[in-house]
Amino acid sequence: MGKDRVLSGMRPTGLMHIGHFHGALKNWVALQAQHECFYFVADWHALTSHYDDPRVIERSTFDMVTDWLAAGLDPQQATIFLQSQMPQHAELTLLLGMITPLGWLERVPTYKEQQENLKEKDLTTYGFLGYPLMQAADILVYRAQHVPVGEDQVSHLEITREIARRFNHIYGREPGFEANAAAAVKKLGGKAGKRYEALRTSYQQDGVAEAVDEAKALLAAAGSLSAAERERLEAWITGARRTILPEPHALLTPTSKIIGLDGRKMSKSYGNAIDLREPPASVEKKVRRMPTDPARVHRHDPGNPERCPVWTLHQVYSSEKTREWVWQGCTSAGIGCLECKQPLIDAINAELAPMQARIAEIEAKPGYVHDVLASGCARARQVAEDTMRDVREAMGLAKP
Ligand code: TRP
Ligand code: SF4
């Protein structure tokens, strides 16, 4: 058996920050050795909400892939590619649109939420409503088993599973299945054929489970059938259909969420992020400016780390020993906040230094990222095309 296939994507809407690293990228890197991983730049997805920002998408695409590689993604192990170079995603989005009820899309929670959050943008577009459908196509076109995502994407995985189920239900039969099955019954011969029909009725109308076993034994004993015919009749008795698009599973990213500098979720749109490319002096400045427990107005006021965004960063970056020192020092007013922040500044800079060195190396090789994406696209295309052949055939699209 081959390795399980993993697929995930990220929207190129700005530079990668430490929230992306701890919330997703680190996990992508960990998965690449054990699984067949496909990671892509979701530039069409970025356009659904940032359609008036094309230059940002263009620039972010190459910077983002550079950051992925610097964070440890290995193009020898993982397939790294660009969504907009893959017409199969668009084709599958179109075809799945035929069977996706509008209500399914309208009730995805992120649809209303995002429209609320991004009030300054007009998101009453067809593309924005179709976002989860396009995401379903991204996943199903690779028949991926696992999709590493954060909590916020779970509803998109759910609709992906529903769409796959509906697709298999409607199209999971070979063309002419009924006629072929009837022909195979005839080939079984008068007596065996009649018995098969009786068993099929007894299973389908009365749910007699033993009828399936008896029919299988009967088919196994029948010398007149080819293997394909036998398989077809085994499937026909239960009404089973072919699984053309398997249902994927969410692989919830385990790491805790990195909190932004202002205590909200870290996000480039809130301007509260530390980028992977952040120079050390800027890391220092940003962390030193971070708000702390509001109760610590003066140096001698004790604080409560639970009410301090700096503490959430210590939980990701600091050893148990340092965390004990913080807890003790904070609650007893034994240390000041700037003192508390110093080990954090050092830890973040220590984590970023090798990545920034790799970014410089990659950027010194012009064309390198282009080449990584081009060969990733070529590899991804083979898998996607395999799926599309089955999908087109199942949906009655003739090959001239
Ligand atoms: N919607 C995802 C996000 O905003 C990005 C994405 C697009 C994706 N297509 C995907 C993630 C397919 C996983 C699988 O983060
Ligand atoms: Fe926050 Fe540290 Fe200050 Fe306590 S000492 S309030 S944990 S920054």
Side-chain angles (χ1 to χ4, degrees):
M1 225 182 73
K3 288 181 186 174
D4 273 2
R5 193 170 289 153
V6 166
L7 172 120
S8 201
M10 249 188 243
R11 296 146 43 96
T13 50
L15 285 170
M16 294 280 93
H17 54 62
I18 59 173
H20 295 123
F21 179 69
H22 287 279
L25 261 183
K26 214 167 64 172
N27 190 39
W28 285 17
V29 173
L31 289 166
Q32 69 185 351
Q34 299 116 309
H35 302 277
E36 187 189 356
C37 291
F38 285 76
Y39 298 128
F40 73 100
V41 180
D43 52 353
W44 279 336
H45 282 270
L47 277 175
T48 62
S49 53
H50 290 60
Y51 52 83
D52 52 356
D53 248 356
R55 297 285 84 81
V56 170
I57 293 172
E58 188 175 39
R59 184 162 14 91
S60 304
T61 291
F62 291 95
D63 289 350
M64 186 165 92
V65 175
T66 303
D67 291 357
W68 288 1
L69 299 172
L73 279 196
D74 173 4
Q76 300 301 326
Q77 296 188 68
T79 300
I80 299 168
F81 65 99
L82 189 55
Q83 183 187 31
S84 60
Q85 291 297 304
M86 304 296 299
Q88 293 85 355
H89 290 225
E91 184 182 359
L92 189 57
T93 303
L94 175 100
L95 293 177
L96 294 178
M98 309 303 171
I99 61 158
T100 304
L102 267 183
W104 288 12
L105 294 171
E106 285 160 347
R107 67 156 205 252
V108 172
T110 50
Y111 179 58
K112 290 261 147 53
E113 263 165 45
Q114 289 278 76
Q115 282 187 335
E116 289 290 310
N117 288 347
L118 299 169
K119 271 235 163 65
E120 69 282 5
K121 291 208 166 109
D122 180 5
L123 293 181
T124 58
T125 57
Y126 175 62
F128 189 71
L129 176 68
Y131 187 117
L133 173 59
M134 179 154 66
Q135 183 160 352
D138 296 337
I139 298 166
L140 297 175
V141 83
Y142 298 100
R143 304 197 243 228
Q145 281 94 348
H146 306 290
V147 185
V149 285
E151 293 288 352
D152 60 321
Q153 298 291 315
V154 170
S155 61
H156 293 164
L157 252 286
E158 204 37 57
I159 190 173
T160 301
R161 294 166 57 82
E162 281 168 359
I163 291 171
R165 215 172 295 149
R166 185 163 160 85
F167 185 93
N168 293 327
H169 182 74
I170 299 176
Y171 302 109
R173 296 182 169 207
E174 42 179 336
F177 183 85
E178 309 272 343
N180 290 340
V185 173
K186 215 173 232 164
K187 254 177 100 178
L188 254 183
K191 216 170 140 208
K194 275 215 185 71
R195 184 69 196 142
Y196 175 87
E197 286 293 13
L199 290 167
R200 183 167 171 266
T201 308
S202 126
Y203 178 74
Q204 298 214 336
Q205 284 178 10
D206 310 320
V208 180
E210 299 79 57
V212 178
D213 297 331
E214 195 189 325
K216 281 190 180 163
L218 182 144
L219 292 170
S224 56
L225 296 184
S226 71
E229 285 162 340
R230 189 172 305 132
E231 217 171 86
R232 192 172 299 139
L233 290 187
E234 282 186 9
W236 202 33
I237 195 166
T238 57
R241 291 151 191 264
R242 261 195 315 156
T243 299
I244 301 170
L245 301 174
E247 292 179 39
H249 301 279
L251 209 60
L252 268 188
T253 306
T255 34
S256 62
K257 269 194 201 103
I258 288 250
I259 301 282
L261 299 172
D262 55 0
R264 293 189 289 171
K265 178 178 187 257
M266 185 172 282
S267 160
K268 53 218 156 207
S269 53
Y270 296 156
N272 63 358
I274 294 177
D275 294 332
L276 298 187
R277 297 166 183 242
E278 203 84 47
S282 169
V283 170
E284 175 160 16
K285 199 159 90 192
K286 283 187 170 176
V287 175
R288 285 172 78 95
R289 282 204 196 128
M290 260 181 97
T292 61
D293 176 3
R296 292 208 76 182
V297 183
H298 305 292
R299 169 68 178 78
H300 58 261
D301 296 329
N304 177 358
E306 299 286 7
R307 281 200 291 264
C308 177
V310 176
W311 175 242
T312 65
L313 288 180
H314 272 299
Q315 283 172 313
V316 176
Y317 281 96
S318 298
S319 65
E320 190 158 347
K321 197 161 146 253
T322 306
R323 290 204 304 269
E324 245 160 56
W325 169 79
V326 169
W327 192 273
Q328 261 302 106
C330 180
T331 52
S332 65
I335 58 169
C337 287
L338 286 181
E339 229 174 308
C340 172
K341 288 169 171 178
Q342 193 55 49
L344 200 51
I345 293 167
D346 297 339
I348 294 173
N349 279 333
E351 180 177 78
L352 296 184
M355 288 196 228
Q356 293 178 357
R358 278 198 293 269
I359 289 172
E361 275 169 36
I362 294 165
E363 293 194 329
K365 289 186 274 191
Y368 179 70
V369 174
H370 279 89
D371 293 347
V372 165
L373 287 174
S375 61
C377 287
R379 213 179 322 161
R381 211 167 276 133
Q382 289 177 1
V383 178
E385 200 37 42
D386 254 4
T387 307
M388 288 316 296
R389 256 195 300 274
D390 290 350
V391 167
R392 290 179 202 120
E393 193 213 51
M395 292 183 83
L397 303 171
K399 207 168 135 209

